[in-house]
Amino acid sequence: MSTDKRPEAFVPLYSQERGDKLPLPASLAALLGDFRLPLKTQPPYVIGNFVSTIDGVVSLNEQGHTGGGPISGFLASDHVLMGVLRAAADAIIVGAGTLRDEPGHRWTAEYIYPAFAQEYRDLRLALGKTAPPLTVLVSASGHIDLNQGLFQRGEVPVLIITTPEGEKHVRTKKIPSWVQLASVQPKQGSNIPAQNILTLVEQACHGQLFLTEGGPQLLNVFLSEGQLDELFLTLAPQLAGHIHNDQRPAVVMGAHFAPERPLWSTLQSVRLVGSHLFLRYAFRERE
């Protein structure tokens, strides 16, 4: 949940952002200024959103200190931006590890920053989106607690994407009517291919803008297959530190890209709030 501290305005330092200017309500426009996202693309446009320490840690991986809040310092402006991305998205894709780290979380704009709940709803309506974004949970094993509020409240549509073995496990439980279930045979190891994930999501919501918020292993799958268009990265001004055999995850986990195949990106924009940098990178070009 968001801190009670009031958000500060973003200071624009550089911008070559792609896409359409969002019809932000006045209070959001006063904070974010000119903000653009590609809204009508084919295939769908995929963006990621993470917060990291200076030394690359995205989760402290300790009980009571998981998720992005301790990394950003629960910065209100970071939550405001997360809300805008969620409000604009047709689907929000997360991995099972992210759900385990934040069991009470709901992937909606209103949840991450309740003070702007009406503004987020107004933005979504201005974009012609009357239903909440589809929450997509990716779990190879299918070991999911369907008693969690995400599945039981029925506030948002949910799609679980798993493997055939995982589907067998999920179907041993009572599945609410608003929860869809789909399975995909993994190609390598236990990873479900990003292209299959995107195909199933597109079929389920018929949308064109997809947001992934984690975790690092899921982001690795999208990057490995060249299926991520942009990454929004909030750089928090703290050092978390590492020790030998540290389990604290970085932005991407599960593969080495460099030196054999480094993934270079193009800087799209830089915004500043206090000592936090809000960076935006493009990973593939669109015609």
Side-chain angles (χ1 to χ4, degrees):
M1 289 291 291
S2 175
T3 177
D4 291 331
K5 195 173 180 182
R6 292 180 63 83
E8 299 177 49
F10 293 74
V11 179
L13 302 180
Y14 171 81
S15 181
Q16 293 292 325
E17 291 182 349
R18 303 171 171 180
D20 308 293
K21 183 177 179 179
L22 291 191
L24 296 176
S27 53
L28 288 174
L31 293 173
L32 279 164
D34 187 353
F35 191 80
R36 296 175 178 272
L37 281 172
L39 299 174
K40 297 180 180 179
T41 64
Q42 194 58 242
Y45 204 82
V46 184
I47 60 178
N49 185 36
F50 281 77
V51 60
S52 167
T53 65
I54 295 171
D55 49 343
V57 174
V58 298
S59 174
L60 300 180
N61 206 33
E62 296 181 12
Q63 188 171 1
H65 301 282
T66 57
I71 301 298
S72 72
F74 297 94
L75 184 74
S77 297
D78 184 52
H79 287 173
V80 168
L81 176 58
M82 290 173 67
V84 169
L85 296 179
R86 289 180 179 187
D90 296 297
I92 301 169
I93 308 170
V94 297
T98 301
L99 179 65
R100 286 192 294 270
D101 286 344
E102 302 181 70
H105 198 88
R106 298 194 295 278
W107 280 270
T108 65
E110 295 84 356
Y111 181 84
I112 200 61
Y113 201 75
F116 280 162
Q118 186 59 53
E119 285 83 353
Y120 292 137
R121 286 191 287 268
D122 290 344
L123 170 59
R124 196 159 180 82
L125 286 173
L127 293 172
K129 302 178 182 186
T130 57
L134 176 71
T135 297
V136 182
L137 180 68
V138 181
S139 171
S141 70
H143 290 282
I144 303 166
D145 181 6
L146 292 184
N147 292 318
Q148 290 193 31
L150 171 66
F151 306 106
Q152 293 299 320
R153 289 190 183 94
E155 296 173 349
V156 298
V158 179
L159 170 64
I160 298 172
I161 299 178
T162 184
T163 61
E165 285 301 311
E167 181 177 2
K168 293 177 184 177
H169 187 82
V170 176
R171 290 198 181 279
T172 62
K173 308 171 185 180
K174 184 177 180 180
I175 305 173
S177 60
W178 52 82
V179 177
Q180 301 177 65
L181 179 62
S183 64
V184 176
Q185 186 66 50
K187 290 183 179 179
Q188 297 180 1
S190 60
N191 287 334
I192 299 173
Q195 184 57 65
N196 292 101
I197 294 171
L198 295 176
T199 298
L200 290 170
V201 174
E202 189 175 7
Q203 291 172 351
C205 74
H206 307 289
Q208 295 169 304
L209 181 65
F210 300 159
L211 167 66
T212 177
E213 293 188 5
Q217 293 187 0
L218 184 60
L219 185 64
N220 165 57
V221 173
F222 279 89
L223 286 168
S224 294
E225 296 182 32
Q227 296 295 334
L228 189 79
D229 288 288
E230 291 192 33
L231 176 65
F232 287 78
L233 180 64
T234 303
L235 189 62
Q238 72 155 306
L239 291 167
H242 293 271
I243 59 176
H244 185 61
N245 293 327
D246 206 336
Q247 297 301 308
R248 290 179 169 179
V251 175
V252 181
M253 300 289 287
H256 285 164
F257 297 128
E260 288 82 9
R261 52 188 187 100
L263 297 183
W264 292 98
S265 60
T266 302
L267 185 65
Q268 297 295 294
S269 66
V270 181
R271 291 178 171 86
L272 179 70
V273 174
S275 294
H276 286 69
L277 283 172
F278 291 80
L279 309 171
R280 183 173 174 180
Y281 296 98
F283 279 91
R284 60 178 179 175
E285 296 298 327
R286 291 290 191 105
E287 294 182 359

